[in-house]
Amino acid sequence: MNKTELIKKVASENELTQKQAAAVVNSVLDSIMDSLAAHEPVALLGFGTFSCKHRDARQGRNPANGETIDIAASNTPVFKAGKAFKDALN
């Protein structure tokens, strides 16, 4: 399922227009991204937890030529599925 299909499903299940459903989906996604950008975790009970993990700067290798390169420090999003989510898959 991609974002467009998700919007269509939200619209049909909640008797909304696709424009209204798109606004809702985009608002939820933007809120999650804003919280993670502020290094605040987002916990959705029964679904999972989104958090931000810091990765330190490190040395790496270019696989094409074996040359050593510097990889800058960065923050990356992390998702940990909740118990209900895991149980639904099994």
Side-chain angles (χ1 to χ4, degrees):
M1 175 181 288
N2 61 31
K3 188 175 178 181
T4 304
E5 293 168 341
L6 177 62
I7 290 169
K8 287 179 184 177
K9 186 166 178 80
V10 169
S12 67
E13 289 183 359
N14 294 290
E15 298 178 7
L16 300 171
T17 65
Q18 285 192 17
K19 188 174 182 180
Q20 291 170 326
V24 170
V25 170
N26 288 330
S27 177
V28 169
L29 296 177
D30 288 343
S31 297
I32 291 171
M33 287 189 288
D34 290 344
S35 291
L36 292 179
H39 300 286
E40 298 171 357
V42 177
L44 303 174
L45 189 62
F47 184 72
T49 303
F50 294 92
S51 60
C52 185
K53 181 180 178 184
H54 179 74
R55 298 180 76 177
D56 292 329
R58 62 192 189 280
Q59 294 280 316
R61 293 214 178 261
N62 181 340
N65 58 19
E67 182 180 319
T68 301
I69 57 173
D70 292 325
I71 301 172
S74 64
N75 293 313
T76 187
V78 177
F79 175 73
K80 182 177 179 189
K83 184 178 183 334
F85 189 179
K86 289 178 187 176
D87 291 345
L89 297 177
N90 294 320

